[in-house]
Amino acid sequence: HDQSENYMAEPAQQQLFANFGEQIALIGYDWSSDGMQAGDTINLTLYWQAKRPLDINYQNFVHILTLDGVLVAY
């Protein structure tokens, strides 16, 4: 757990803000795609921040799409 304020993920390579139902926000991510080829492993870190106390234990998942929107991994 990292401590960040004002919906900024301090250690994240990429900052963003995506609000999910006024409950949680995706505030950043890290990943490296340099030199990737088919079959390579992707290391992805997502940074979330609760916007209020949560009553549910959430799980997350990632879909990977090609540039033209074709699902290639989930």
Side-chain angles (χ1 to χ4, degrees), residues 14-65:
Q14 300 293 319
Q15 301 286 325
L16 64 94
F17 183 84
N19 182 9
F20 291 86
E22 296 298 326
Q23 295 182 35
I24 57 176
L26 178 60
I27 60 172
Y29 65 93
D30 297 337
W31 90 308
S32 177
S33 62
D34 296 340
M36 291 199 63
Q37 300 199 15
D40 285 353
T41 298
I42 295 173
N43 294 312
L44 172 67
T45 302
L46 302 175
Y47 296 89
W48 298 92
Q49 187 167 349
K51 297 185 78 179
R52 61 180 180 84
L54 302 174
D55 299 330
I56 300 170
N57 267 338
Y58 285 94
Q59 296 183 24
N60 60 67
F61 60 91
V62 175
H63 288 167
I64 300 174
L65 309 174

